[in-house]
Amino acid sequence: QRDVISIPVVVHVLWNKPEQNISDEQIASQMIVLNQDFRKQNPDISQVPPVWEDTAEDADIEFHLATVDPEGLPTTGITRTHTSKEQFSAFEDDVKTSATGGIDAWPSDQYLNIWVCALSYGLLGYAQFPGGPAHTDGVVVTYKAFGTTGTAEAPFNLGRTLTHEVGHWLDLRHIWGDDGMEPGTECTGTDHVDDTPNQDGPNFGTPSFPQISCNNGPDGDMFMNFMDYVNDSAMVMFTDEQVERMHACLQGPRSSFLS
Ligand code: ARG
Ligand code: ZN
Ligand code: CA
């Protein structure tokens, strides 16, 4: 059987307006959700339709705020930095560099770096897949979709943006395979996971079961998966093979996190 892997986290809070300097309590509320979701302890797991109850899996991955900083000194696992930038852009990735108004990553082979800031274009968050440059490795989430209290705004106030982004950080793709951008490519993409049904595009909001696409009836899309685009209240599970893919990542490109 697989060991439970525990990953040290640093949350970098970048704030321009005082309300963006989110509280320790808001960060704690996010850590609770992240750990529940990755241990299949989220109370809303009961929303999984009976047909996928056996496919929904405990990911055996836990996250804790770092207690030791890169210099070996005690830390809360939270950094707070005032910035003159009113918003950060995913394209420029400028939140990850002190010289551009953000703050530099802690060594990304030892910490999961999470930057929380105001993101432009209403973006909820974004992530870097394994294998990319170390100094930009980690995930970014807007302060409006982080945790379950404070500045978190419905319908993205249940902490699922971070769950989704950490899924990407551990090599998960969107459940629909990111196809359909070009006409005629619908249903041709893959998330490289066999126990998620082939699905056309993203689902949004709070769909009702079943949602059929790509001839995937009668059960249809697994829209209640963390790697779809539904509201926070509607995403509740990872699958067995998604979990295997995340652990393959932890045995491979992210093996520095194995103790
Ligand atoms: N748009 C983001 C991404 O593709 C995150 C979507 C998160 N969805 C949510 N219900 N919180 O990475
Ligand atoms: Zn995504
Ligand atoms: Ca699939």
Side-chain angles (χ1 to χ4, degrees):
Q1 264 305 80
R2 215 171 29 223
D3 290 332
V4 175
I5 295 170
S6 189
I7 296 183
V9 166
V10 55
V11 176
H12 301 290
V13 179
L14 279 297
W15 60 280
N16 177 257
K17 298 184 193 64
E19 66 150 12
Q20 295 161 352
N21 192 12
I22 60 168
S23 67
D24 289 358
E25 291 70 30
Q26 187 169 346
I27 293 167
S29 77
Q30 176 64 79
M31 295 304 294
I32 289 171
V33 170
L34 185 66
N35 281 305
Q36 285 179 337
D37 288 351
F38 276 82
R39 293 308 315 274
K40 202 184 166 188
Q41 287 168 354
N42 49 307
D44 54 5
I45 189 75
S46 55
Q47 291 178 34
V48 174
V51 65
W52 290 315
E53 267 170 16
D54 289 345
T55 308
E57 184 78 348
D58 174 357
D60 287 326
I61 303 170
E62 297 178 349
F63 303 86
H64 61 274
L65 290 171
T67 55
V68 182
D69 78 6
E71 268 73 59
L73 299 173
T75 176
T76 56
I78 300 171
T79 73
R80 297 181 178 282
T81 308
H82 180 257
T83 178
S84 59
K85 287 233 163 148
E86 291 185 7
Q87 292 194 318
F88 289 93
S89 144
F91 301 102
E92 283 153 23
D93 222 8
D94 41 4
V95 74
K96 299 174 181 173
T97 310
S98 300
T100 53
I103 184 169
D104 293 348
W106 288 12
S108 56
D109 57 344
Q110 292 166 54
Y111 302 92
L112 163 57
N113 283 269
I114 301 174
W115 290 267
V116 181
C117 62
L119 283 175
S120 51
Y121 307 111
L123 190 66
L124 298 173
Y126 64 99
Q128 182 169 302
F129 288 107
H135 70 285
T136 51
D137 195 33
V139 308
V140 184
V141 177
T142 174
Y143 73 104
K144 292 184 177 177
F146 195 80
T148 62
T149 60
T151 57
E153 286 176 17
F156 303 112
N157 60 342
L158 297 181
R160 260 63 194 260
T161 301
L162 186 64
T163 302
H164 175 109
E165 300 308 338
V166 174
H168 286 315
W169 184 78
L170 291 169
D171 211 20
L172 295 189
R173 307 289 152 152
H174 289 137
I175 193 167
W176 66 94
D178 292 307
D179 56 7
M181 308 289 275
E182 311 268 316
T185 64
E186 297 85 356
C187 305
T188 61
T190 177
D191 58 359
H192 307 285
V193 167
D194 287 333
D195 59 2
T196 57
N198 189 21
Q199 167 176 329
D200 184 356
N203 289 284
F204 297 99
T206 56
S208 57
F209 177 84
Q211 295 291 321
I212 294 165
S213 69
C214 304
N215 296 311
N216 63 12
D219 304 327
D221 300 351
M222 191 186 279
F223 59 81
M224 70 298 308
N225 193 283
F226 291 126
M227 302 316 290
D228 206 328
Y229 264 2
V230 294
N231 284 354
D232 279 14
S233 65
M235 48 171 65
V236 300
M237 66 173 279
F238 291 119
T239 69
D240 190 30
E241 294 199 25
Q242 284 178 318
V243 170
E244 278 183 25
R245 192 172 164 86
M246 291 193 276
H247 279 267
C249 172
L250 287 166
Q251 300 295 331
R254 297 207 185 279
S255 61
S256 59
F257 289 97
L258 303 179
S259 35

